[in-house]
Amino acid sequence: MKDIGQYNHKQVEEKHSKRWVESGIYSVEKPSESRFSLVIPPPNVTGSLHMGHALNATLQDIVCRWQRMLGKSVVWVPGFDHAGIATQYVVDRRLQEEGLSRLELGREEFIKKVWEWVPVSRNSIREQLEKLGVSVDWKRERFTLDEGFSRAVRYAFRRLYEEGLIYRGEYMVSWCPKDLTALSDLEVEHEEEEGKLYYIRYPLEDGSGYITVATTRPETMLGDTAVAVHPEDERYKALVGKRLRLPLVDWQRRAMDGSEVEHLIPIIADPRVKPEFGTGAVKITPAHDPLDFEIGKSHGLAFVQVMDNFAKMNENAGRFAGLDRYKARESILKELEELGLLEKVENHRHAVGKCYRCKTVLEPMVSTQWFLKVSDPRIKETATRVVKESLIKFVPENWAKIYLQWMENLKDWCISRQIWWGHRIPVWHCQDCGYENVFTDEDFDRVYDKLIFNLLADGKIKEEFTPEEVADILNSPSFVHPQMTVLDFYKRFAFHKYHSTSLDANSLRLFISQDLNPTAILTGKAQRYRYNPQKKTYRFVLRCKRCGSERLHQETDVLDTWFSSALWPFGVFGWPEQTQDLKGLYPTDLLVTGFDIIFFWVARMVMLGTYFMKDIPFRDVYIHALIRDEKGQKMSKTKGNVIDPLDIVEKYGADALRFTLAILTQQGRDIRLSEKRFEGYKHFANKLWNAGRFILMNLDPDLLTSLPYGAPPRPEDLWIISRFNKTAERVNKALAEYEFSEAARELYEFIWSEFCDWYIEFSKLRLYAKPDESLPEEERRAQEQRIKAEKITVQATLLNVFEKTLRLLHPFMPFITEELWRDLPTAHKESISLTEYPQPNPAEVHEESEQKLERLKEIITAIRALRSDLRIEPSRKIRLYYRAGESKALVEEFMPHILSLARLESLQEADTEPPNCVAGFSKDFEFFLPVDEGIRVEELINSYSKRLSEVEKSLQSLRQKLSNENFLSKAPEEEVQRARQNLQELEEEKEKVETLLRLLRGVMT
RNA sequence: AGGCGCGUAGCUCAGUUGGCAGAGCGCCUCCCUUACAAGGAGGAGGUCGGCGGUUCAAGUCCGCCCGUGCCUACCA
């Protein structure tokens, strides 16, 4: 007997979210054989979590908690993504607000600023995840730019490079003139725009006429080095081979290879030109258009760049140099028009490529970039096969098709970015022989060399350093795990092999100075370190692998952020070291993510996972919907329509948030979210709380010890147990199929509509039973004992079903279930999440009781409907008479239930209907209420008249159906039977309704 | 231009292999009955986007159309 008071979500959630993290119950040091592993899609450290993250984390957590309760050793690895351009963009914007410019600040200072920002974002995200109640293993937390990951990235790069899968070259890429970097094809957003198509005349060299070309970007004409037509195009066949005078250009242009290019350009034939578009003649600007680039290559044309990285016209643009591309367009068009060379201008709808990050119109540019040859069979074929053969399963499965379609048309992946924040490409160009040296710590034997090299390559120390600086860094707290030092982090996550080696900062100092020891020099061994006596600094010497030169210059480009993300499912387990974790936890069991990053991320993990690990990165990929706002718009900060999950947690609680997201997650459908939804499911949490409150209030302290003295269960006990079992079966099945919405609905339905609405109400009959004081002493004592025995049974059933229900619901609403569960006298563990997940038990399914109770509910509902129609308030108990056929036994068996739940004074059998009464019925159970004052008969007449016309309508269509010979002969027998039975029931009902109406009308008169 | 998805109650959505249209929220009526007014009881509300086809029977299968959203694409 205790009262837990009212539901307070904040209090409940704060209590457990902290406790779960601090007690480390979701941290698994050594996973058992039967394990379930997954890695979180690392959120970007660009700010805080949005609703999409909350959904993503919730779904994973539901699966994790479920699997854990199924007895699996669950390892869920959390972490964060450094998110190259995105983070750089965010920090850049913040600096701009302070009036600072990234370009003025310089690379090194800027990166420092980013490192100052990152923990701010990371901590806020981590706090959000904790508040959501995610059961991740925080001890395994990783960052895509932590020391170990950076090392893994270098290893991966080296392998791919040495195996010929990474190459560098001059290619056409999409260039963002604002972010000043190349982008991969995937990062280009195409937007339909209303543009113009300009028709420009290019005069023939011999003055015999002109050719008109059509273009959307007239400013690129300054870089034209040919005009192309289709070889079969009769209009131009005769002109092929002749030359045209490029208008406006009366200066010498310099091609990318350094040669001078004149303004007379050839007419060439190429089958890639589509004769039906524009005039059938196309100007060729090999340096500023992807197709022109291809054509330029195959025809050996000169590549003339006319713009710089800011998309301003350069020196090749002659008098237009220095103009922005759009200003240049205006000037060029004006001059062409004055010369009479602008034939016409048409409106033209076309797709424009924009930067996915800043929406700037991209400029196709030729530049030197690094590419990963994903089209190589070694990558492409495996990554295709594993999905084709369903080794990796997409859920819903239609995403597999989309994945495969994309894989079909794979183009090489541009992996270099001209930004500052990210993994610097581990290539050192030799200034003397031009050799591209890829260094990793494999190039060094001694563990301290490896350490120093990694610090250097990560930019943690400068080229010139002192041992003290190194020691300081190694002893400083690790970014990801502040309770560890950087050195500890290395030992735990990167140098597993040397775990036992006594690595420490002091011996490192000794080591470096020993390396400089004269004896070492005498042995002729090349020194790794060079000492600068003036500055008292050391240098770690890298030498060109080909010519031995020390004049090396590290590549300034960084890698596309998705390159490191692609290593995530094995990088987090310590790869490239063959750690226990890697062996035990890879491949992971599940990946949960949104469809927007299937190509960016999922595909790349499959490609690099199968390539490096020779095994798939995950077995199931659950693709969830995108969260949109009420209007179906994508939620984004720039649109300002985001619902912050933290606000929702604050207002309605994480449990309500999670349950709402889960129940709205239909496979393959977007989620339109409005705040009202959360409110509704907070009510559900409240309902559950109050059920718990009721049960706890009504448990006798000695219940557990008195269980053996309980009475046999009543049908309603068997009914609720049976219903629970069916619910457990459906919830387990739904979870196994990732049908989150289905599982949540089942739980909601069971808890509210069955357990609370009916079972708790039934339970009150026995809980509140009192002995009849008027009975003689002896009889009263016997009755007391019976009451006590009944109480034990009903309390035990309440407790039993409620306890299991909490467990069944726990993955969805971890906090409230944890809190209530721990209050139960049966709680035997520190957390409900460590108990077993309820499984259906066939021995606990009681069909007969279920049928009885369903019928009982119908009868009670029918009486209530009559009361409601007559506006009889609940406090007024009424006397009822009834007549019944088969239902009679049931009515007698459940008389107290009916009296109580239908709020009756009495229910007596009557052979004929009493005079002057109103009536109702449910199947063969008819009941009559003698009329007294205050009863509104006309309401009832309306109600039954309406029902009568409904019944007649149904009867008509049924009779028609049953008189259709085709139906009788072709439909399955059971279907015909069902229709016949239906007909019979409806006929009976019609009769009853008519009788009732007659009675009512009698009362009226 | 191709590909995918969606149009069911006022709103958000379920509807499994074709067999009498469902839920939540909102709305209406009655009720503060000792777990819960964040509640209880009862109710109203739908030509399942349109047209055609297959079938005894179509929200469900097929075709076309309309509306809508997304993804992919080098049409200058």
Side-chain angles (χ1 to χ4, degrees), chain A residues 53-105:
Chain A
H53 292 113
L55 170 68
N56 179 265
T58 297
L59 299 183
Q60 287 172 82
D61 195 51
I62 290 171
V63 175
C64 282
R65 287 181 184 273
W66 177 55
Q67 289 287 343
R68 191 177 292 115
M69 291 174 79
L70 288 177
K72 297 272 179 64
S73 184
V74 173
V75 177
W76 181 15
V77 181
F80 303 89
D81 196 315
H82 69 281
I85 300 179
T87 308
Q88 172 157 330
Y89 184 75
V90 167
V91 176
D92 200 9
R93 238 186 9 199
R94 291 169 64 91
L95 287 176
Q96 277 169 27
E97 279 162 22
E98 294 170 34
L100 284 169
S101 146
R102 163 169 76 90
L103 298 173
E104 282 166 30
L105 215 55

Side-chain angles (χ1 to χ4, degrees), chain A residues 665-681:
Chain A
T665 295
Q666 237 82 54
Q667 285 192 1
R669 200 193 243 269
D670 287 349
I671 298 175
R672 287 189 184 205
L673 207 55
S674 76
E675 209 180 305
K676 272 199 303 193
R677 309 305 298 261
F678 299 110
E679 197 185 340
Y681 294 111

Side-chain angles (χ1 to χ4, degrees), chain A residues 954-970:
Chain A
S954 303
L955 270 174
Q956 201 184 341
S957 79
L958 255 183
R959 287 206 183 102
Q960 200 176 346
K961 196 176 186 179
L962 281 164
S963 60
N964 181 340
E965 276 181 36
N966 277 326
F967 173 70
L968 296 175
S969 58
K970 292 188 181 171

Side-chain angles (χ1 to χ4, degrees), chain A residues 14-31:
Chain A
E14 272 166 25
K15 183 165 150 194
H16 298 295
S17 66
K18 280 204 195 89
R19 192 176 59 86
W20 287 336
V21 175
E22 280 161 15
S23 66
I25 53 173
Y26 303 125
S27 176
V28 178
E29 190 84 19
K30 289 212 165 56

Side-chain angles (χ1 to χ4, degrees), chain A residues 151-401:
Chain A
R151 180 168 173 264
V153 165
R154 283 190 287 275
Y155 268 69
F157 186 94
R158 180 182 186 141
R159 282 266 310 270
L160 293 164
Y161 182 84
E162 288 178 350
E163 286 158 31
L165 289 168
I166 284 179
Y167 61 91
R168 182 180 187 236
E170 276 194 338
Y171 290 90
M172 179 63 64
V173 292
S174 295
W175 181 269
C176 176
K178 181 148 180 291
D179 294 335
L180 300 180
T181 180
L183 298 173
S184 75
D185 299 335
L186 280 176
E187 287 162 323
V188 180
E189 271 182 15
H190 295 275
E191 249 177 64
E192 287 266 311
E193 263 184 21
E194 212 57 68
K196 302 259 190 251
L197 191 59
Y198 304 92
Y199 289 76
I200 304 168
R201 289 173 180 164
Y202 285 16
L204 283 153
E205 181 186 15
D206 57 16
S208 64
Y210 54 80
I211 284 186
T212 304
V213 296
T215 180
T216 52
R217 294 186 299 151
E219 64 278 13
T220 62
M221 69 165 286
L222 304 180
D224 284 2
T225 53
V227 165
V229 296
H230 193 274
E232 302 301 318
D233 195 331
E234 295 300 332
R235 293 171 292 179
Y236 302 108
K237 239 177 181 171
L239 297 175
V240 173
K242 290 197 174 182
R243 296 204 296 178
L244 296 164
R245 224 174 54 239
L246 186 58
L248 307 181
V249 179
D250 51 6
W251 56 85
Q252 287 293 320
R253 300 172 295 167
R254 195 169 289 280
M256 292 174 69
D257 62 7
S259 62
E260 296 219 321
V261 184
E262 54 178 359
H263 64 281
L264 291 169
I265 58 173
I267 301 169
I268 58 173
D270 193 289
R272 283 167 284 194
V273 177
K274 289 180 186 150
E276 65 278 6
F277 188 88
T279 60
V282 56
K283 58 190 269 317
I284 301 296
T285 323
H288 289 288
D289 182 275
L291 179 64
D292 295 5
F293 177 82
E294 297 297 327
I295 292 178
K297 280 265 175 188
S298 39
H299 292 265
L301 299 176
F303 286 61
V304 177
Q305 278 188 315
V306 293
M307 280 177 231
D308 64 12
N309 287 348
F310 297 90
K312 280 203 176 111
M313 306 313 285
N314 67 11
E315 59 280 8
N316 276 332
R319 62 179 179 276
F320 301 102
L323 288 181
D324 170 80
R325 52 185 164 169
Y326 298 117
K327 284 264 181 292
R329 179 180 297 179
E330 280 173 34
S331 313
I332 287 168
L333 286 171
K334 196 165 156 244
E335 291 195 19
L336 286 171
E337 187 153 28
E338 282 162 6
L339 292 169
L341 294 173
L342 185 60
E343 194 172 292
K344 58 174 172 174
V345 181
E346 283 178 352
N347 285 331
H348 180 61
R349 202 170 167 74
H350 63 135
V352 178
K354 296 186 173 177
C355 175
Y356 80 113
R357 186 56 44 193
C358 68
K359 312 293 174 200
T360 304
V361 175
L362 299 172
E363 202 58 43
M365 298 256 245
V366 174
S367 67
T368 304
Q369 303 290 344
W370 295 84
F371 293 87
L372 178 54
K373 217 190 216 164
V374 285
S375 58
D376 189 284
R378 282 172 287 174
I379 293 178
K380 181 176 167 168
E381 271 173 23
T382 326
T384 305
R385 187 176 52 81
V386 293
V387 171
K388 259 195 188 140
E389 294 177 1
S390 295
L391 298 174
I392 293 178
K393 247 178 53 203
F394 278 86
V395 182
E397 58 193 14
N398 63 309
W399 293 109
K401 211 170 88 190

Side-chain angles (χ1 to χ4, degrees), chain A residues 265-534:
Chain A
I265 58 173
I267 301 169
I268 58 173
D270 193 289
R272 283 167 284 194
V273 177
K274 289 180 186 150
E276 65 278 6
F277 188 88
T279 60
V282 56
K283 58 190 269 317
I284 301 296
T285 323
H288 289 288
D289 182 275
L291 179 64
D292 295 5
F293 177 82
E294 297 297 327
I295 292 178
K297 280 265 175 188
S298 39
H299 292 265
L301 299 176
F303 286 61
V304 177
Q305 278 188 315
V306 293
M307 280 177 231
D308 64 12
N309 287 348
F310 297 90
K312 280 203 176 111
M313 306 313 285
N314 67 11
E315 59 280 8
N316 276 332
R319 62 179 179 276
F320 301 102
L323 288 181
D324 170 80
R325 52 185 164 169
Y326 298 117
K327 284 264 181 292
R329 179 180 297 179
E330 280 173 34
S331 313
I332 287 168
L333 286 171
K334 196 165 156 244
E335 291 195 19
L336 286 171
E337 187 153 28
E338 282 162 6
L339 292 169
L341 294 173
L342 185 60
E343 194 172 292
K344 58 174 172 174
V345 181
E346 283 178 352
N347 285 331
H348 180 61
R349 202 170 167 74
H350 63 135
V352 178
K354 296 186 173 177
C355 175
Y356 80 113
R357 186 56 44 193
C358 68
K359 312 293 174 200
T360 304
V361 175
L362 299 172
E363 202 58 43
M365 298 256 245
V366 174
S367 67
T368 304
Q369 303 290 344
W370 295 84
F371 293 87
L372 178 54
K373 217 190 216 164
V374 285
S375 58
D376 189 284
R378 282 172 287 174
I379 293 178
K380 181 176 167 168
E381 271 173 23
T382 326
T384 305
R385 187 176 52 81
V386 293
V387 171
K388 259 195 188 140
E389 294 177 1
S390 295
L391 298 174
I392 293 178
K393 247 178 53 203
F394 278 86
V395 182
E397 58 193 14
N398 63 309
W399 293 109
K401 211 170 88 190
I402 290 165
Y403 170 94
L404 289 170
Q405 262 171 23
W406 186 74
M407 288 298 287
E408 280 295 306
N409 309 311
L410 260 193
K411 280 193 275 172
D412 285 355
W413 172 16
C414 174
I415 53 171
S416 47
R417 295 288 180 280
Q418 288 66 48
I419 56 171
W420 293 341
W421 174 244
H423 297 280
R424 205 155 151 180
I425 289 177
V427 167
W428 281 257
H429 300 280
C430 178
Q431 305 292 88
D432 289 319
C433 74
Y435 187 70
E436 290 170 355
N437 293 277
V438 181
F439 286 110
T440 63
D441 64 24
E442 289 163 294
D443 291 303
F444 316 102
D445 295 333
R446 302 174 301 186
V447 68
Y448 286 112
D449 290 340
K450 289 177 189 281
L451 202 55
I452 298 278
F453 169 79
N454 282 307
L455 290 173
L456 193 68
D458 288 350
K460 302 260 184 221
I461 52 173
K462 296 183 191 168
E463 252 177 82
E464 307 265 326
F465 58 86
T466 66
E468 289 71 25
E469 281 168 3
V470 176
D472 280 352
I473 286 162
L474 291 178
N475 289 329
S476 64
S478 149
F479 166 73
V480 184
H481 293 278
Q483 77 282 10
M484 286 185 196
T485 65
V486 169
L487 185 64
D488 290 337
F489 185 91
Y490 268 117
K491 286 184 182 175
R492 168 101 164 78
F493 291 108
F495 294 110
H496 307 254
K497 265 191 284 200
Y498 310 101
H499 201 279
S500 52
T501 316
S502 54
L503 261 173
D504 67 68
N506 283 329
S507 60
L508 180 108
R509 195 173 320 167
L510 207 67
F511 168 82
I512 294 175
S513 48
Q514 267 174 3
D515 188 65
L516 293 163
N517 190 310
T519 3
I521 300 170
L522 283 176
T523 58
K525 215 169 121 193
Q527 288 165 284
R528 253 310 49 118
Y529 300 88
R530 186 146 303 138
Y531 185 60
N532 180 335
Q534 269 117 39

